[in-house]
Amino acid sequence: MRFIWAAVIYLFGSVQAALACQLALVLAVDISGSVDKHEYRIQMDGLAAGLRDGIVVDALLEQEAMVTLIQWTGSSRQRQTIPWTAIRAAEDVARLADQIAADERVWRNYSTAVGEALIAAEQALKSVPHCARKVIDVSGDGISNEGAAPDSRRAALTALGVTVNALAIETDEDDLTGWFYENLIHGEGAFVMTADSFEDYPAQIKRKLQRETTRQLSRND
């Protein structure tokens, strides 16, 4: 009988922990052909450093967040390379940051399918329906040139209750920030931030993570 009660208590605790999730965060990283080996490394190291920031760590812990990473490029080439990670202690964030820093690039030399990246993120988010807030963090250096148009996903994103934020890495004269603003971001409080180059990415992704992970904490002030 004691074994049965212990099992019940364990299962109840697991359910309570799952239900406590206040934030599901998808980190969607551009690995299209315009991103070279050095620039890929800047993105992954920058993301890892951003996650280790004290403000971000505290926010993820406070919200008992779930975090995953998707590498994306052309149509049919999006992969969830780091599975959902439950953040319950600072060590969980540190471990996730280490995994991201060590994550190997999946593809090279393919197109830029931003809408397909959203579809992949939507599918991943269906695995964490218990999380109160769902955010897709898209970073990229180019306008979508293949696959579904990003704005064609708005109805599906609304149905799932998803916010899409973006970090535009400006590398030419296309005004990617404006394009992301018009075509990609979605949901209440959605925003675009700009990195003036790949070298500016680490500073801006840290600011972006701080903003999107802590926004919910002050929302009801």
Side-chain angles (χ1 to χ4, degrees):
M1 178 65 75
R2 268 187 289 180
F3 174 78
I4 295 174
W5 276 111
V8 169
I9 291 170
Y10 174 79
L11 289 172
F12 179 77
S14 298
V15 171
Q16 289 295 100
L19 293 175
C21 174
Q22 294 299 305
L23 171 65
L25 177 63
V26 178
L27 303 171
V29 179
D30 181 1
I31 61 164
S32 59
S34 59
V35 177
D36 66 24
K37 180 179 179 180
H38 174 64
E39 292 162 348
Y40 172 79
R41 182 46 47 205
I42 288 174
Q43 288 186 94
M44 305 309 278
D45 289 347
L47 259 180
L51 286 168
R52 294 187 185 105
D53 174 75
I55 293 173
V56 175
V57 171
D58 288 347
L60 293 174
L61 286 170
E62 181 71 22
Q63 297 176 82
E64 300 190 45
M66 301 286 292
V67 185
T68 189
L69 185 138
I70 290 175
Q71 294 187 27
W72 64 271
T73 176
S75 293
S76 75
R77 292 181 176 87
Q78 301 82 34
R79 183 177 300 173
Q80 190 175 0
T81 57
I82 295 179
W84 284 110
T85 299
I87 305 301
R88 300 292 180 267
E91 292 77 12
D92 296 326
V93 186
R95 190 177 308 111
L96 174 63
D98 289 345
Q99 288 178 313
I100 289 173
D103 201 26
E104 295 292 334
R105 185 172 186 162
V106 180
W107 294 288
R108 293 173 177 80
N109 302 322
Y110 287 100
S111 300
T112 304
V114 182
E116 303 295 329
L118 292 179
I119 293 171
E122 291 164 26
Q123 292 303 311
L125 285 166
K126 290 177 181 178
S127 299
V128 288
H130 56 282
C131 293
R133 183 162 65 102
K134 300 174 179 67
V135 177
I136 302 173
D137 175 328
V138 180
S139 57
D141 75 335
I143 291 170
S144 191
N145 55 27
E146 186 173 276
D151 58 6
S152 72
R153 305 308 305 164
R154 296 196 188 282
L157 292 165
T158 299
L160 287 171
V162 176
T163 298
V164 180
N165 300 321
L167 175 57
I169 307 168
E170 297 285 4
T171 58
D172 51 36
E173 303 301 318
D174 285 340
D175 185 18
L176 185 61
T177 299
W179 191 88
F180 276 179
Y181 183 84
E182 294 294 334
N183 297 276
L184 177 57
I185 64 170
H186 178 79
E188 181 181 357
F191 64 90
V192 182
M193 296 186 74
T194 304
D196 293 330
S197 64
F198 274 95
E199 285 67 28
D200 189 34
Y201 175 92
Q204 300 310 322
I205 195 64
K206 181 173 77 171
R207 290 180 60 232
K208 185 170 186 289
L209 287 168
Q210 289 174 342
R211 180 172 174 180
E212 65 196 351
T213 58
T214 61
R215 186 173 69 87
Q216 183 71 5
L217 298 178
S218 60
R219 197 175 186 182
N220 296 319
D221 285 355

